[in-house]
Amino acid sequence: MKLTKYIQKTLGAFIFLSLGFSSVVYGQRNEASLFKAMQDEMTRTKNELKLPGALPTYFVGYTVGENQYISVLSSLGTTVYTKESPRERVNSVKLYVGDSNFSSDYSYSGNGINSNTLMARDDNYDHIRYSFWQTSDLAYKFAVEVYNSKKSAVKTATISEEEKALPDMLPISYPEVSTPVIPEFNLNRKSYQDLANKLSKIFCNYSSVFNSSVGIDGIETIYYYLTSEGTKIKEPVGYVSISVKGSIRNRKGQVIEDQKTIYAKSFDKLPSEDILIASVKDFAERLSSLIQAPNMDEYYLGPVLFEDEASAKIFADNLVSPSGILSFRHPYQVVASVTRAENVSEAKNVKPLEERIGKKVIDSRLNVVNRTDLSDFGGFSLIGSYNYDGQGVAPIKNLSLIENGILKNMLSSRVPTIKIKTSSGSMRFGVSPRSVINSLAPGVLIVSAPSGEATTTLKTQLLNAAKEEGLDYAYIVRNFASGSGQYLYKVSVKDGSETLVTGAEISPIQFIKLKRVLGVSKDDFVYNYLYKESIPTSIIAPKSVLIEDIEIVNKPLTIQKESPLIGK
């Protein structure tokens, strides 16, 4: 009996160790199997996929996006729903015919043809090849059609001859190869639910706030990217977000909604529980204070002080765009029948900032640098850091873009422009379930004003500027409302007192407004967000900026009569 138990115990330990060892080896072997299937199908595609009379393929890029996410919604301390996605895979194919000087790339967006169906989660060699075969077949037929359509479009496009003559893709110095072990991303259901319930329960103490909720989302996509040039990389992209929402009804019966979102690179990188609780309480108290807040009742044109998130968002919206520090190549409108081409009609309205390289574009006190290796700043997690871009290029880790207001450089991809002939490695991977997304975007954009003023000094400057214009008051904006009804702070020129007001609409802050600002803070504010709703991006911006001639008008709020519940 003892021997039998000993044998069972020993055999059980052997099986346990064997399974543990095999799972590690299995994971490694599976990754190798994935890349091998991708490579073999890519070789077949490049060498054998050809239509009669059509050009052969000159470049192929295969991407597998492996995605997992969890979404938890809680209200008043109770979980409302939890949605979890198992590990899912999709693939995308970038395939160009022609050559690097003139190819079937017409949009220069970096995006490929996404698969129509999910791939198998297991690394089945035959299924992976079959899945890429289907997508590659579609991508090749599309590329042939687009190439011919682009040749016609070039003749009539209102694009300069200099830009038309540019090559379509820059060569790489050498192919990057990097397939690191990626730490497990925390998607533990209990951790997410417990935190969401604890934070949403805070609203139980604020009876005037209704429709309150706290949602916590965690998502990660691991990208496997392989090209016919020899590039082979593995890159994780992910974030965790906490969205706090609520509504109040003011004394006039008008409903005001607001939302606040906190981002971190991972669950473990979120602010401490005490900081999160304080943040939710601050949100609830500010929302509650809007009940008695008067509506803005007259037109305003004058100086406005933007602080905190409002300041950071102004810099983000103006700098991070094709009309900002992102390099831009005019696309061609093409026609294809096998699948829909990208809609590039809005591109005709873009005026590239690169035309002003060497000239002043923003206030001379401001510097702008892009960092890709910065994961934390001042105790805040930065979601914009990354190792490789969506073209397999290792990014420039520290790139100066604007110095003392003078534009020096642009964030770029492998698509050259008239003044930018190298890639900064900025064609980012995005995060979106069941899709592979690429876009030019910064990593961590640092906007600094070393010679700026202290934040407290700018309020005095605001009042002085308002007084010079004969105004009795000025405004401070600390965030742009995510829901209905922009609220801001009306500041008395006489004594500097602040009154919270709502029902306002602020005119868009155009880039030209940043060329000369009345004042800018030397202090920093960290702002994380999703560029184009999918690219994790961080900006470290001046904590406050004072801008003149801002237009604010009254925006009437909708009145909703309260419908009390019938008593029991």
Side-chain angles (χ1 to χ4, degrees):
M1 180 66 70
K2 289 182 179 181
L3 180 61
T4 303
K5 288 183 177 180
Y6 173 78
I7 293 173
Q8 290 175 339
K9 184 177 180 181
T10 304
L11 182 61
F14 174 76
I15 293 172
F16 174 79
L17 291 172
S18 298
L19 287 173
F21 174 75
S22 65
S23 66
V24 174
V25 176
Y26 178 71
Q28 294 173 348
R29 185 173 66 242
N30 280 2
E31 186 173 296
S33 177
L34 172 64
F35 275 119
K36 176 172 173 50
M38 292 168 70
Q39 181 63 66
D40 290 350
E41 186 57 32
M42 180 182 294
T43 301
R44 186 200 69 82
T45 293
K46 196 167 187 305
N47 295 338
E48 301 178 21
L49 194 59
K50 191 175 185 302
L51 290 171
L55 291 170
T57 299
Y58 97 89
F59 173 86
V60 185
Y62 277 179
T63 306
V64 170
E66 187 173 276
N67 181 274
Q68 293 184 88
Y69 69 86
I70 183 172
S71 182
V72 173
L73 184 69
S74 176
S75 182
L76 301 177
T78 302
T79 301
V80 177
Y81 79 78
T82 299
K83 183 178 181 181
E84 292 178 277
S85 168
R87 183 168 57 91
E88 294 180 338
R89 280 181 174 174
V90 293
N91 72 60
S92 178
V93 174
K94 298 175 188 176
L95 187 154
Y96 304 135
V97 300
D99 56 41
S100 61
N101 289 316
F102 188 89
S103 73
S104 54
D105 189 3
Y106 65 97
S107 67
Y108 308 119
S109 67
N111 290 310
I113 301 294
N114 285 326
S115 55
N116 294 321
T117 58
L118 294 175
M119 294 178 64
R121 289 185 291 171
D122 297 326
D123 288 320
N124 181 287
Y125 175 86
D126 292 330
H127 187 276
I128 294 168
R129 286 200 62 175
Y130 178 77
S131 183
F132 271 109
W133 168 66
Q134 286 185 309
T135 314
S136 298
D137 183 76
L138 178 64
Y140 176 73
K141 292 172 182 174
F142 178 72
V144 170
E145 278 193 307
V146 165
Y147 182 87
N148 293 325
S149 179
K150 179 180 171 183
K151 285 176 66 177
S152 299
V154 169
K155 298 174 184 177
T156 58
T158 54
I159 298 174
S160 71
E161 293 302 318
E162 184 180 8
E163 187 171 5
K164 288 180 180 179
L166 291 171
D168 280 348
M169 182 183 284
L170 296 168
I172 55 174
S173 301
Y174 57 89
E176 297 281 354
V177 177
S178 175
T179 58
V181 175
I182 296 173
E184 183 178 357
F185 193 79
N186 185 352
L187 293 171
N188 181 270
R189 174 200 288 246
K190 187 175 187 304
S191 298
Y192 282 70
Q193 288 179 337
D194 288 350
L195 180 58
N197 289 339
K198 182 169 289 188
L199 296 179
S200 71
K201 192 174 183 179
I202 293 171
F203 286 101
C204 292
N205 300 319
Y206 298 87
S207 58
S208 59
V209 179
F210 62 95
N211 290 342
S212 64
S213 67
V214 173
I216 305 182
D217 296 332
I219 183 169
E220 182 189 49
T221 299
I222 298 176
Y223 286 103
Y224 301 84
Y225 183 59
L226 188 72
T227 75
S228 53
E229 297 170 319
T231 296
K232 178 183 177 182
I233 64 165
K234 179 182 174 186
E235 175 76 3
V237 185
Y239 65 88
V240 172
S241 66
I242 300 178
S243 296
V244 185
K245 298 180 181 180
S247 303
I248 60 97
R249 181 177 284 102
N250 69 12
R251 57 187 179 180
K252 292 183 178 181
Q254 299 166 322
V255 173
I256 302 172
E257 305 167 349
D258 200 12
Q259 175 179 337
K260 178 177 183 176
T261 305
I262 300 167
Y263 289 96
K265 192 79 170 177
S266 65
F267 190 86
D268 303 324
K269 287 284 188 177
L270 285 169
S272 68
E273 197 171 280
D274 289 343
I275 291 175
L276 291 174
I277 290 172
S279 181
V280 175
K281 285 182 177 179
D282 177 70
F283 174 85
E285 288 169 4
R286 186 175 67 246
L287 194 57
S288 299
S289 67
L290 293 175
I291 295 173
Q292 301 299 325
N295 286 349
M296 180 185 177
D297 55 7
E298 61 182 351
Y299 174 83
Y300 178 85
L301 178 64
V304 174
L305 180 60
F306 296 91
E307 295 184 343
D308 303 335
E309 185 176 311
S311 173
K313 196 171 187 305
I314 287 172
F315 286 105
D317 289 348
N318 284 286
L319 291 172
V320 186
S321 82
S323 297
I325 46 87
L326 306 181
S327 65
F328 177 78
R329 176 83 169 265
H330 288 97
Y332 295 96
Q333 188 67 60
V334 298
V335 178
S337 61
V338 294
T339 189
R340 181 177 297 178
E342 290 184 52
N343 185 355
V344 298
S345 59
E346 291 185 4
K348 64 183 179 182
N349 300 319
V350 174
K351 187 174 182 180
L353 191 65
E354 76 166 52
E355 296 172 1
R356 296 191 56 77
I357 286 180
K359 296 180 175 63
K360 179 179 176 179
V361 292
I362 58 175
D363 194 279
S364 57
R365 286 166 287 187
L366 293 168
N367 299 316
V368 180
V369 174
N370 186 57
R371 292 284 299 272
T372 62
D373 59 344
L374 199 61
S375 57
D376 296 276
F377 182 85
F380 292 92
S381 173
L382 302 175
I383 64 174
S385 59
Y386 65 102
N387 302 305
Y388 291 94
D389 79 349
Q391 294 178 325
V393 177
I396 299 173
K397 293 181 179 180
N398 190 337
L399 179 61
S400 177
L401 301 171
I402 298 175
E403 298 174 10
N404 299 319
I406 306 297
L407 182 63
K408 297 291 186 178
N409 214 325
M410 308 284 288
L411 296 179
S412 56
S413 70
R414 291 183 62 186
V415 176
T417 62
I418 291 175
K419 293 192 176 182
I420 304 297
K421 300 295 193 295
T422 59
S423 172
S424 63
S426 301
M427 182 58 75
R428 300 280 309 278
F429 280 123
V431 184
S432 181
R434 301 186 176 185
S435 182
V436 174
I437 293 178
N438 294 107
S439 178
L440 266 179
V444 179
L445 199 67
I446 303 176
V447 184
S448 61
S451 60
E453 296 84 9
T455 301
T456 52
T457 304
L458 288 177
K459 183 176 178 179
T460 302
Q461 292 184 6
L462 169 69
L463 298 179
N464 290 337
K467 189 175 182 180
E468 284 182 12
E469 295 191 24
L471 300 171
D472 296 326
Y473 57 88
Y475 283 105
I476 296 177
V477 180
R478 296 193 169 102
N479 74 308
F480 291 105
S482 300
S484 60
Q486 173 67 50
Y487 53 85
L488 28 76
Y489 297 84
K490 187 176 183 178
V491 190
S492 169
V493 169
K494 183 178 180 181
D495 58 14
S497 60
E498 298 181 12
T499 303
L500 183 62
V501 298
T502 188
E505 185 174 61
I506 304 170
S507 60
I509 314 300
Q510 304 293 342
F511 201 126
I512 191 67
K513 292 285 187 182
L514 299 179
K515 194 169 183 180
R516 289 181 179 84
V517 298
L518 295 178
V520 62
S521 171
K522 62 183 177 182
D523 303 317
D524 301 310
F525 184 85
V526 175
Y527 177 59
N528 289 309
Y529 73 109
L530 299 179
Y531 176 59
K532 292 187 175 180
E533 300 183 346
S534 63
I535 314 293
T537 306
S538 304
I539 182 166
I540 302 169
K543 187 174 175 63
S544 51
V545 58
L546 178 57
I547 305 176
E548 62 183 342
D549 295 333
I550 300 299
E551 185 180 43
I552 305 177
V553 298
N554 170 258
K555 182 181 181 181
L557 296 170
T558 302
I559 295 178
Q560 296 181 13
K561 291 184 179 181
E562 187 173 4
S563 178
L565 295 173
I566 299 173
K568 293 182 179 179

